[in-house]
Amino acid sequence: MNGKKILIGVCGSIAAYKTAYIIRLLKKQHADVRVIMTPSASGFITALTLSTLSKNPVLTRFTVGDQGEWNNHVELGLWADVFVIAPASANTLAKMANGICDNLLLAVYLSARCPVYVAPAMDLDMHKHASTQANMRILQESGVKIIDAEHGELASGLTGIGRIAEPESIVSIIDDLLSSGSPLQGKKALVTAGPTYEKIDPIRFIGNHSSGKMGVAIARQLMAYGAEVKLILGPVSNLFNLEGINVSNVTSADEMYELAKEQFAGADITVLAAAVADYKPRISADSKIKKNKDNLTFELIKTPDIAVSLGKIKSDDQIIVGFALETDNEVENARKKLFSKNFSMIVLNSLNDPGAGFGHDTNKISILDKDNNTREYELKSKTDVAKDIVDAIVEKYF
Ligand code: PMT
């Protein structure tokens, strides 16, 4: 961790005393540590303790000193290699999830471009409350990594999940992140995500349930590993944090195809996570189709297969990772697509696995390659699945 810049955020929680140990462990590894406290954190631990351990002044307010000099939150957010909020209280998690910015820690969070980790600490009922769980899901969707609270005896005397992770575990997670570095620095990546909508008339379309979450998580992970990422995103309703990613929004398969062909040329890695409609109406109406017949028949024609087209023009040093969304004969069908679409590897997800596929925040995948290897993974958050996929790419090709 020599010289790595680690920003620690401290919230009002009895677990704040453990932050002192976290800082001590980081300093032992020669990290450059700076600390921000929320106003209520100082009721649990003093700024003097944390500044002595971190060897830096502790920041608590937007201004400092009698002259009202400004603590530049933007500068702090850009300074850090990683921002770790430990302990993270239910209150701060709720504010972060909702973009509330009424203290310095929250302003820095909104300005930070580095990976952000939160280590929640609270009583068990607060932790399992639907609002807290929903806030943590929102944060995960915006790319914040949760260092799970642990099971044990809590300050209230109750026993359950809510204890902050041990300082050693938190430091080891930071160490893993910082030592993994940027294996894709200088590489260019292209990702497709979300559904496509094929127009029937100005009111109706043929579409599917893709939310874009899987593809967006992959784009973010590629970026976290240093790649320059372009994302072609179909029509989705989620408001994703896509800071740092070059995003093109499209609606139909034809639009996605045209852009993908254009952007593929410079891409070292292409990941096709979009659920592209396979068929579109041969003719779409310019005004609303009226309900004046008992039956309505459409002729559907094939949309361009983006994967097949890119597979044909792919050079030897380009990697294409495809997806297969299956309902039966899953492995057999995925293996067929791996070869027929000339993918380098394919990610299989099956709608038969609870929590996998469309819409969920979780997925369960297998990764198949052309050397007949199949690696199966547990059900995980899409953020963690994206890390498994990008790690598999890095391991095999970089
Ligand atoms: O968006 P989420 O809600 O998070 O859900 C994620 C997901 C289920 C959409 C994702 O994990 C996934 O499986 N995406 C691929 C869905 C799909 O269309 O699979 P497929 O087996 O029909 O297609 C095989 C591959 O060819 C895919 O890489 C697909 O992007 C690509 N394809 C398909 C048709 C087409 N016309 N052009 C393509 O490029």
Side-chain angles (χ1 to χ4, degrees), residues 210-212 214 272-274 304 306-307 323 325 337 341 349 359 382:
S210 172
S211 63
M214 190 67 257
L272 301 173
I306 302 167
F323 267 76
L325 178 62
K337 284 178 189 168
K341 301 199 179 206
N349 42 189
K382 281 187 174 159

Side-chain angles (χ1 to χ4, degrees), residues 130-190:
S131 313
T132 307
Q133 291 297 319
N135 289 332
M136 287 201 273
R137 274 196 302 278
I138 292 172
L139 288 174
Q140 268 185 319
E141 275 171 24
S142 356
V144 172
K145 311 263 188 330
I146 313 278
I147 303 176
D148 289 333
E150 292 179 358
H151 186 277
E153 195 181 333
L154 302 164
S156 61
L158 298 170
T159 299
I161 296 177
R163 273 168 77 101
I164 190 171
E166 287 306 321
E168 289 77 7
S169 314
I170 294 175
V171 171
S172 139
I173 288 169
I174 303 171
D175 196 17
D176 281 355
L177 170 87
L178 296 174
S179 56
S180 71
S182 306
L184 298 178
Q185 194 71 42
K187 301 290 171 200
K188 292 195 164 81
L190 173 64

Side-chain angles (χ1 to χ4, degrees), residues 312-331:
K312 280 186 185 150
I313 55 171
K314 161 179 140 27
S315 67
D316 285 347
D317 46 13
Q318 282 183 302
I319 294 147
I320 305 183
V321 178
F323 267 76
L325 178 62
E326 304 294 340
T327 54
D328 39 27
N329 298 329
E330 289 99 326
V331 174

Side-chain angles (χ1 to χ4, degrees), residues 77-396:
L78 296 179
W79 169 84
D81 293 319
V82 58
F83 185 17
V84 185
I85 303 173
S89 64
N91 184 38
T92 292
L93 292 174
K95 288 180 177 180
M96 287 168 72
N98 289 286
I100 295 171
C101 183
D102 62 0
N103 64 44
L104 181 66
L105 184 148
L106 294 163
V108 173
Y109 163 63
L110 290 175
S111 313
R113 291 197 191 156
C114 59
V116 178
Y117 284 73
V118 291
M122 62 200 75
D123 210 51
L124 79 163
D125 292 307
M126 291 169 78
H127 184 267
K128 73 176 177 212
H129 195 283
S131 313
T132 307
Q133 291 297 319
N135 289 332
M136 287 201 273
R137 274 196 302 278
I138 292 172
L139 288 174
Q140 268 185 319
E141 275 171 24
S142 356
V144 172
K145 311 263 188 330
I146 313 278
I147 303 176
D148 289 333
E150 292 179 358
H151 186 277
E153 195 181 333
L154 302 164
S156 61
L158 298 170
T159 299
I161 296 177
R163 273 168 77 101
I164 190 171
E166 287 306 321
E168 289 77 7
S169 314
I170 294 175
V171 171
S172 139
I173 288 169
I174 303 171
D175 196 17
D176 281 355
L177 170 87
L178 296 174
S179 56
S180 71
S182 306
L184 298 178
Q185 194 71 42
K187 301 290 171 200
K188 292 195 164 81
L190 173 64
V191 179
T192 66
T196 64
Y197 287 176
E198 310 306 321
K199 182 179 168 191
I200 295 173
D201 69 10
I203 316 282
R204 305 165 182 106
F205 57 83
I206 296 173
N208 61 63
H209 299 293
S210 172
S211 63
K213 289 177 189 171
M214 190 67 257
V216 164
I218 292 168
R220 283 204 198 112
Q221 187 60 46
L222 288 161
M223 186 183 72
Y225 277 5
E228 192 184 314
V229 183
K230 288 185 176 165
L231 171 67
I232 308 177
L233 183 59
V236 291
S237 50
N238 283 61
L239 286 175
F240 295 108
N241 175 358
L242 297 170
E243 179 83 41
I245 298 172
N246 181 334
V247 187
S248 305
N249 294 100
V250 296
T251 304
S252 66
D254 284 315
E255 285 168 27
M256 191 174 273
Y257 170 70
E258 289 305 328
L259 258 180
K261 267 195 320 186
E262 202 180 297
Q263 299 188 345
F264 179 66
D268 301 291
I269 304 164
T270 297
V271 183
L272 301 173
V276 187
D278 288 321
Y279 291 92
K280 63 176 181 178
R282 176 184 287 280
I283 298 164
S284 59
D286 286 334
S287 48
K288 185 179 176 185
I289 299 172
K290 294 292 173 202
K291 200 170 66 177
N292 48 17
K293 292 194 227 159
D294 282 345
N295 296 306
L296 185 61
T297 307
F298 290 113
E299 188 184 354
L300 299 179
I301 57 169
K302 273 190 176 167
T303 56
D305 194 311
I306 302 167
V308 168
S309 308
L310 301 186
K312 280 186 185 150
I313 55 171
K314 161 179 140 27
S315 67
D316 285 347
D317 46 13
Q318 282 183 302
I319 294 147
I320 305 183
V321 178
F323 267 76
L325 178 62
E326 304 294 340
T327 54
D328 39 27
N329 298 329
E330 289 99 326
V331 174
E332 197 186 321
N333 286 334
R335 202 157 274 291
K336 270 190 203 152
K337 284 178 189 168
L338 173 66
F339 287 94
S340 66
K341 301 199 179 206
N342 196 18
F343 290 144
S344 314
M345 45 170 73
I346 192 160
V347 179
L348 164 65
N349 42 189
S350 165
L351 289 184
N352 294 322
D353 289 321
F358 288 131
H360 305 286
D361 292 321
T362 51
N363 205 358
K364 183 173 185 322
I365 60 155
S366 305
I367 300 181
L368 290 74
D369 68 21
K370 285 182 167 161
D371 303 322
N372 228 8
N373 299 312
T374 303
R375 208 191 287 182
E376 289 180 20
Y377 297 82
E378 306 281 295
L379 182 78
K380 297 179 180 184
S381 71
K382 281 187 174 159
T383 307
D384 290 342
V385 171
K387 183 164 186 310
D388 287 337
I389 294 169
V390 179
D391 280 342
I393 298 172
V394 169
E395 196 182 297
K396 195 161 171 72

